[in-house]
Amino acid sequence: MSESDLPEGWELVVGLEVHVELATNTKLFCSCPNMFGDEANTNVCPTCLGLPGSLPVVNEQAVHFAMVLGRALGCTVQPSVFARKNYFYPDMPKDYQVSQYDLPTNGEGALELPDGYVVGIERAHIEEDTGKSTHVGGDGRISGADYSLVDYNRAGVPLVEVVSRPNMHTIEHAKAYVSELRDILLATGVSDAKMEEGSMRVDANVSVRPTGSTELRTRCEIKNVNSIRSMGRAIDYEAHRHIDLYNNNDAPRQETRHWDEANGRTRPGRSKEDADDYRYFAEPDLLPLDPTAAEIAAIDEAMPALPQQRRRALAEAAGLVPADVALVVERNQDELALAALAAGAGGAGVVKHLINNLADGAGQLTPEAFAGLVSMETRGDLSSTQAKTVLAELVANGGQPADVAAGLGFEAMDTSELEILVDGLIADNPDEWGRFCEGDKKIQGFFVGQIMKATKGQADGKVVNQLLASRASSS
Ligand code: ZN
Ligand code: MN
């Protein structure tokens, strides 16, 4: 059973909120360094500590990065207003978070997954990060802790929160969405997108509904899963929990839940606030943002090739579909693939080797050598096992495929030599040959095997089969 499978009659509904830390040098509203892993409370000032009388000054680079991400997600970049989101939490010293509410910087957009499925983006707004609490003693939760520590180095780090529409219905799509978003962040350079360092934090809104229904039932928000794999497990657990509740004439309550990786379950957090509870109002200490058409055009102009475009370009050049080349693009090997194609290699061979044999990188392999190797294999000068061996050598030490093949003793067998061997084998095995000519497929392996044995594996299986077929049709 695939993990995206729900019991018959139920459909999964997932929307994702991803907090992305922007790769700026300094924080969103002050000049403190935006740095992960420094000693606690060393990158702080009156502004990011929320001391009375301090005033925010907006970081232009952060706003630029936010707009770049918005455009990469096909969002409308629009005039926007910062807003105060009021709530109390020890790691948020002002007792409000500066965020955006009804006028986010980036409006409606969309993200296309490698298989062509399109996930709607509702908005991608700018906000400041909070500090980080560490609960000491007990099992790391606030309840049962002996005491708690707060590090404000993260307070005021610029974030963009990317909010998807709840239109993902399989765990595979939810995972592909996060993976695609990460690749877009890396391609545009707006974030280092390290989930393990918290620079990309995913909250998953999960609900279920009867198949065929379009209603949105009560959702639970699973917080802070720290890998794509954990997110998949958490969604799966949560969906089944909802179904069990409905099957027992009960229903889930709207709440945040925390993923417990060790026990493979979610546990309740706080009951989820609605927007009303936050008492949003426009931030009086900051001006609205109003990017000009020229600024937005310049962002579009400078936009690097995004994963989706790169998949399309490679798929077209290789004569394949985008999903086939997704892994190559994800590994940033599309440039090598395109160069090998341009040097005359066949698309299927190039992609096959990149996916199966070049996962750890191409090392000393040049596009020309790669193209030459694929062509040798396609012509039948090298068997696929030999090609793999030659490729490993080219990756390790460089060189030309023909030289490496010769050095390894992988000389292509002359077809006339092979013909003599095949004819001899036929003459020695008249009964088996009779069965072959009558179309017994099983006996084909016997002939190929004998030739391979006689040539110590140097014969090309494809050529042997062709020879056998031509002999059979003329006998
Ligand atoms: Zn500061
Ligand atoms: Mn947020």
Side-chain angles (χ1 to χ4, degrees), residues 392-472:
E393 178 62 26
L394 293 169
V395 168
N397 299 313
Q400 290 307 313
D403 301 340
V404 172
L408 289 164
F410 296 160
E411 296 289 359
M413 288 216 50
D414 201 24
T415 309
S416 60
E417 265 177 78
L418 259 187
E419 281 177 343
I420 294 166
L421 282 172
V422 168
D423 290 338
L425 191 62
I426 289 172
D428 292 345
N429 299 281
D431 293 347
E432 286 81 358
W433 181 243
R435 282 166 59 195
F436 182 88
C437 292
E438 283 159 21
D440 182 347
K441 285 283 167 206
K442 272 181 278 179
I443 204 70
Q444 185 170 355
F446 163 78
F447 284 102
V448 177
Q450 291 296 312
I451 295 292
M452 286 301 177
K453 210 167 134 190
T455 61
K456 297 193 174 65
Q458 283 191 42
D460 181 36
K462 229 179 345 183
V463 178
V464 175
N465 281 323
Q466 282 162 5
L467 277 176
L468 289 168
S470 81
R471 289 293 187 276

Side-chain angles (χ1 to χ4, degrees), residues 27 29-33 43-49 152-153 155-156:
K27 294 187 182 182
F29 299 123
C30 62
S31 57
C32 291
N43 299 326
V44 291
C45 73
T47 299
C48 56
L49 286 174
Y152 292 108
N153 282 352

Side-chain angles (χ1 to χ4, degrees), residues 99 118 157 181 197 219 237 281 294 308 320 346 407 418-419:
S99 181
V118 176
V157 162
L181 181 55
E197 290 186 2
R219 65 191 153 85
Y237 174 87
F281 64 88
Q308 179 197 33
L320 300 167
L418 259 187
E419 281 177 343

Side-chain angles (χ1 to χ4, degrees), residues 19 85 97 125 127 161:
H19 285 87
K85 182 181 183 181
Q97 177 188 29
H125 61 263
E127 62 187 25
E161 179 176 345

